[in-house]
């Protein structure tokens, strides 16, 4: 046998190919072979235990879920790695830390299969960018791609191969703490950002990028009453038309992995939902990557009342098409038994291992397992000046101007005295959210710091107003009002701490705390102009804030440079262009309120109150419309839309028509405008929303400039899904709406033949 390898080596060397004896002896180590061939060879060498080990993902860092009782301390975990019983670790970071563990996997396990290191890199790693819902308000997918790519660059330099992002759960309920992670309430816009974020994270899968993971599949954002981890009950019709499109866009963009959601769909936990994991994902969407559960979601099927015990959970999960087990341990404990007893076909396990190994080969981990573990590179890319600048630009483009009475903003840079009020103006610990990875709040430019830096010639005073517990006291009141008397303008920062943003952070009350409202009332009664800044990771109830403010700027959670970005906007150095991607309710009782709703059999037009407006779908105490609608956002300049025209009022199913209109920047400032195109299918075999976003253009205009804007209306914009996911395109009347938001639109009609 030995002679054979020597001869082969000699031939190989002579033919100029440099094979090591290991590569000849183990084809899976041979980088000249195709990935498929290498996987086949490796699979043939793996024991059943080693195959099951690839499906086992363990937490090796701070908890991002309940302790799953694996009870494995670091020592036992390293032994499991040596025994080939771990395929991936999450939450351990650092070029050196991960490198040391990878060395054990590669040099001390029998086959030397490298690990995948994963982390929730949701909106930045060390440099933090705006939370995803804020970023979606930029309506700038290129920006999203850049931010994801930058995050991947920092994270991969810290030894990470895989992020659990983008989260693309469509959501209509701001009580849910995770609205911050997505792209709001629209399936089309969600799809645009899903694809952009996947492209940004993955790039060409070189070692400056990460495997993406679109989550949570599916429908997690529909948790009843916005209560975290609560029941989801979506019709198949809505599942297909509202909730699935963003995930599909991520899969179509090449997302390497998909994560199960915690919730049930059609009464079956997503972790074991064969319709989702096999029928939709594999058969209809041709997904080729691998699936990972959410944290212990396999074992939680027992709580759901769907699995009798862990072995039952393991069987149901893998039979549905689920593959990697995050933290529950049910696969490593029971899959071998299930395979041996033929309850689970070996082929399912082999396919899962194949899908996982594919990406370990694709990332080059077998050929250069330490390329992600260079400490100097790690230090060189993180928190660079480019990263800070991108964070600031992204935050500028994400903050939404909701009100600006009499041009209160932008402020004159020579303004004499500004009073900044509110604990959130300086509170670093409240500045970032739960999903800020390794972002350091000490690196954050606070709102107060940003204002002081930008308005260096002005006198900037500060008063805490409400404290960290949102308590407003007479002491702070006196201090605040005394300072307010000397101020030319007051900037009041209200909102919700970043500690209440993200997973396991649902809130039943999303109006500003009473202490904050008391502070605003006192300021309002002082007669001073009050500019309200809102620091929050979800839409809040601003109904009572509106009359007490001259301007409202929704800052969301802007990340490391949030204060610098804010100051750019306050000073007019950046003309706000962002527009809402989630409706803002008048009251919690109005939730869910969203623009793309159905008309109902008794529609009501707000403001009408005649005899025909009683027996209609309305409230007696508030309007039906949102306080601020989807697509809404103001600018420091004003816009005029005119002359909406269609190239034809008839369209063939294999044709298209053009929609044109003129948009003018009436001044006084240059700025960007997001022109939105919506469509309504007036009558179809299933009811259709009163309008649906189908396209948009973000355009830059000089002050006074006018542009002809053109959209092409295609059949794909008019089609929709039936409850089984079949695409329908039906003749009939359609209405086109074009405007600056989902409410202020011009319309025209056409007929699809
Ligand atoms: C959490 C989240 C999921 C995250 C995972 C790992 O429970 O639901 O989004 O990726 O666990 O942290």
């Amino acid at each position: 046998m030995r002679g054979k390898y020597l001869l082969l080596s000699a031939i190989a060397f002579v033919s100029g190919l440099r094979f090591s004896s290991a590569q000849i002896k183990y084809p899976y180590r041979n980088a000249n072979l195709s990935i498929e061939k290498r996987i086949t060879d490796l699979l043939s060498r793996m024991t059943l235990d080693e195959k099951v080990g690839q499906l086992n993902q363990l937490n090796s860092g701070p908890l991002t879920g309940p302790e799953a009782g694996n009870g494995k301390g670091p020592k036992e975990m390293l032994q499991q790695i040596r025994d080939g019983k771990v395929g991936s670790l999450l939450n351990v970071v650092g070029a050196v830390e991960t490198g040391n563990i990878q060395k054990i996997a590669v040099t001390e396990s029998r086959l030397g299969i490298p690990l995948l290191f994963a982390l929730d890199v949701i909106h930045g790693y060390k440099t933090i960018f705006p939370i995803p819902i804020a970023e979606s308000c930029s309506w700038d997918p290129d920006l999203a791609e850049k931010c994801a790519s930058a995050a991947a660059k920092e994270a991969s330099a810290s030894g990470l191969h895989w992020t659990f992002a983008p989260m693309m759960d469509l959501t209509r309920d701001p009580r849910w703490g995770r609205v911050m992670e997505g792209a709001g309430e629209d399936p089309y816009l969600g799809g645009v950002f899903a694809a952009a974020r996947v492209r940004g994270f993955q790039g060409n899968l070189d070692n400056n990028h990460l495997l993406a993971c679109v989550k949570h599949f599916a429908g997690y954002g529909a948790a009843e009453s916005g209560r975290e981890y609560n029941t989801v009950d979506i019709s198949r019709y809505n599942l297909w038309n509202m909730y699935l499109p963003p995930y599909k866009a991520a899969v179509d963009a090449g997302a390497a992995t998909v994560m199960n959601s915690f919730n049930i769909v059609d009464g079956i936990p997503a972790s074991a939902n064969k319709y989702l994991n096999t029928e939709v994902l594999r058969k209809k969407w041709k997904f080729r990557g691998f699936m990972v559960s959410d944290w212990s979601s396999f074992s939680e099927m027992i709580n759901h009342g769907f699995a009798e015990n862990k072995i039952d959970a393991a069987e149901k999960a893998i039979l549905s098409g689920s593959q990697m087990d995050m933290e529950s341990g049910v696969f490593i404990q029971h899959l071998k038994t299930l395979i041996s007893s033929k309850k689970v076909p070996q082929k399912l396990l082999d396919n899962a291992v194949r899908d996982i190994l594919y990406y370990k080969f694709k990332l080059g981990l077998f050929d250069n397992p330490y390329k992600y573990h260079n400490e100097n590179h790690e230090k060189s890319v993180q928190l660079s000046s480019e990263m800070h600048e991108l964070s600031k630009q992204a935050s500028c483009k994400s903050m939404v101007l909701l009100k600006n009475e009499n041009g209160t903003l932008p402020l004159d840079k020579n303004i004499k005295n500004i009073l900044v009020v509110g604990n959130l103006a300086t509170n670093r610990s409240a500045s970032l959210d739960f999903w800020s990875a390794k972002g350091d709040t000490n690196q954050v430019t606070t709102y107060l710091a940003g204002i002081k830096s930008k308005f260096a010639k002005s006198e900037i005073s500060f008063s805490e107003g409400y404290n960290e517990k949102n308590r407003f006291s007479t002491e702070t009141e006196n201090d605040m009002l005394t300072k307010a008397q000397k101020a030319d303008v007051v900037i009041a920062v209200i909102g919700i701490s970043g500690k209440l943003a993200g997973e396991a952070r649902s809130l039943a009350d999303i109006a500003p705390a009473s202490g904050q409202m008391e502070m605003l009332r006192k300021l309002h009664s002082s007669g001073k102009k009050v500019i309200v800044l809102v620091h929050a990771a979800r839409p809040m109830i601003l109904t009572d804030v509106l009359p007490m403010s001259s301007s409202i700027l929704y800052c969301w959670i802007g990340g490391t440079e949030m204060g610098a970005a804010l100051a750019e906007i306050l000073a007019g150095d950046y003309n706000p262009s962002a527009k809402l991607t989630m409706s803002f309710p008048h009251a919690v009782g109005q939730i869910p309120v969203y623009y793309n709703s159905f008309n109902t059999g008794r529609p009501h037009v707000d403001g009408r109150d005649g005899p025909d407006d009683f027996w209609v779908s309305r409230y007696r105490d508030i309007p039906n419309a949102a306080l601020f609608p989807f697509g809404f956002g103001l600018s420091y300049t004003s816009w005029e839309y005119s002359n909406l025209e269609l190239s034809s009022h008839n369209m063939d199913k294999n044709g298209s028509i053009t929609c044109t209109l003129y948009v003018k920047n009436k001044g006084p400032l240059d700025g960007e405008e997001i022109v939105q195109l919506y469509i309504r299918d007036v009558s179809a075999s299933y009811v259709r929303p009163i309008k649906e976003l189908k396209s948009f253009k973000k355009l830059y205009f000089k002050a006074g400039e006018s542009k002809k804007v053109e959209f092409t209306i295609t059949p794909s914009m008019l089609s929709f899904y039936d409850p089984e996911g079949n695409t329908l395109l039906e003749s009939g009347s359609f209405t086109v709406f074009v405007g600056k938001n989902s409410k202020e639109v011009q319309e025209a009609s056409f007929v699809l033949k």
Side-chain angles (χ1 to χ4, degrees), residues 14-320:
V14 164
S15 62
L17 294 172
R18 283 182 305 288
F19 285 97
S20 68
S21 56
Q23 285 176 333
I24 295 173
K25 190 175 175 190
Y26 300 110
Y28 76 92
R29 293 197 174 288
N30 181 347
N32 296 306
L33 294 179
S34 73
I35 290 181
E36 285 65 28
K37 283 209 174 86
R38 300 176 78 178
I39 293 172
T40 302
D41 174 66
L42 180 51
L43 265 178
S44 70
R45 300 170 188 277
M46 293 170 79
T47 65
L48 185 52
D49 281 319
E50 287 164 336
K51 289 180 179 177
V52 172
Q54 287 301 303
L55 278 55
N56 188 32
Q57 182 183 57
L58 298 180
N59 176 51
S60 179
L63 287 175
T64 48
E67 185 61 68
N70 269 320
K72 289 282 171 288
K75 221 165 127 252
E76 298 88 340
M77 186 177 291
L78 293 179
Q79 191 50 49
Q80 281 188 299
I81 292 169
R82 288 187 184 94
D83 297 342
K85 294 187 172 179
V86 182
S88 170
L89 293 178
L90 73 146
N91 293 336
V92 56
V93 300
V96 172
E97 296 80 351
T98 54
N100 292 340
I101 298 171
Q102 192 70 298
K103 194 165 184 309
I104 291 172
V106 168
T107 61
E108 298 182 32
S109 72
R110 188 175 74 88
L111 293 167
I113 300 174
L115 297 166
L116 283 174
F117 291 102
L119 183 78
D120 294 280
V121 183
I122 307 297
H123 58 107
Y125 174 73
K126 200 82 177 156
T127 308
I128 303 304
F129 301 104
I131 55 175
I133 190 164
E135 180 189 76
S136 73
C137 292
S138 72
W139 295 56
D140 184 345
D142 292 343
L143 174 73
E145 187 172 339
K146 283 194 190 94
C147 290
S149 183
K153 186 172 181 182
E154 284 193 344
S156 57
S158 264
L160 292 162
H161 308 117
W162 183 16
T163 177
F164 299 128
M167 182 277 219
M168 297 316 304
D169 300 331
L170 185 130
T171 178
R172 299 161 161 172
D173 195 326
R175 292 170 294 185
W176 189 44
R178 305 195 74 167
V179 300
M180 61 152 279
E181 299 174 48
E185 70 193 40
D186 182 73
Y188 169 75
L189 193 76
V192 169
F193 274 86
R197 289 170 179 160
V198 167
R199 289 194 301 269
F201 284 126
Q202 296 194 162
N204 54 6
L205 286 185
D206 62 15
N207 55 315
N208 290 315
H209 289 89
L210 300 169
L211 299 180
C213 179
V214 60
K215 68 185 186 182
H216 305 79
F217 195 62
Y220 183 9
E224 279 181 0
S225 52
R227 200 181 82 211
E228 184 61 283
Y229 313 125
N230 201 7
T231 298
V232 165
D233 191 0
I234 310 171
S235 68
R236 279 286 175 88
Y237 179 61
N238 260 343
L239 180 69
W240 275 101
N241 286 289
M242 289 292 170
Y243 292 90
L244 290 181
Y247 306 122
K248 182 178 188 302
V251 168
D252 291 348
T257 68
V258 173
M259 184 185 289
N260 298 124
S261 58
F262 289 121
N263 54 281
I264 58 173
V265 175
D266 297 334
I268 298 174
S271 297
N273 194 306
K274 188 162 187 163
Y275 178 73
L276 288 177
N277 302 340
T278 298
E279 294 311 310
V280 175
L281 194 58
R282 298 286 180 181
K283 292 185 179 169
K284 280 188 180 283
W285 293 357
K286 310 293 181 216
F287 172 63
R288 287 280 169 274
F290 68 88
M291 291 197 81
V292 61
S293 76
D294 201 341
W295 185 290
S296 74
S297 64
F298 287 174
S299 55
E300 288 175 8
M301 288 196 269
I302 300 166
N303 295 337
H304 274 291
F306 183 75
E308 290 291 322
N309 48 42
K310 286 192 171 184
I311 191 165
D312 188 30
E315 180 180 354
K316 287 171 173 169
I318 195 157
L319 289 177
S320 78

Side-chain angles (χ1 to χ4, degrees), residues 417-421 459-465 476-490 523 526 528:
N417 185 310
I418 300 174
L419 168 62
V420 179
V421 188
E459 186 187 340
I460 310 292
S461 55
F462 172 70
S463 183
E464 188 181 42
T476 50
E477 175 183 343
N478 296 336
D479 175 69
M480 178 184 82
L481 293 178
T482 307
K483 290 172 179 171
Q485 288 317 315
K486 290 188 289 183
D488 298 310
V489 73
V490 178
L523 285 171
S526 75
K528 290 290 176 183

Side-chain angles (χ1 to χ4, degrees), residues 431-500:
S431 61
L432 295 179
D433 57 282
F434 176 69
W435 292 122
S436 288
K438 294 303 164 193
D440 178 354
T441 54
N442 292 320
Q443 288 284 337
V444 170
T445 303
T446 65
Y447 297 116
L448 180 61
I451 292 166
K452 281 184 173 175
S453 166
K454 176 62 75 173
F455 295 89
K457 287 186 279 185
S458 312
E459 186 187 340
I460 310 292
S461 55
F462 172 70
S463 183
E464 188 181 42
Y466 58 90
N467 67 8
E468 184 149 35
K469 295 195 181 330
N470 287 318
R471 212 170 68 77
F472 180 69
S473 65
T474 42
E475 294 82 359
T476 50
E477 175 183 343
N478 296 336
D479 175 69
M480 178 184 82
L481 293 178
T482 307
K483 290 172 179 171
Q485 288 317 315
K486 290 188 289 183
D488 298 310
V489 73
V490 178
I491 297 176
V493 184
I494 62 170
I496 302 173
S497 165
K499 292 175 186 167
L500 283 173

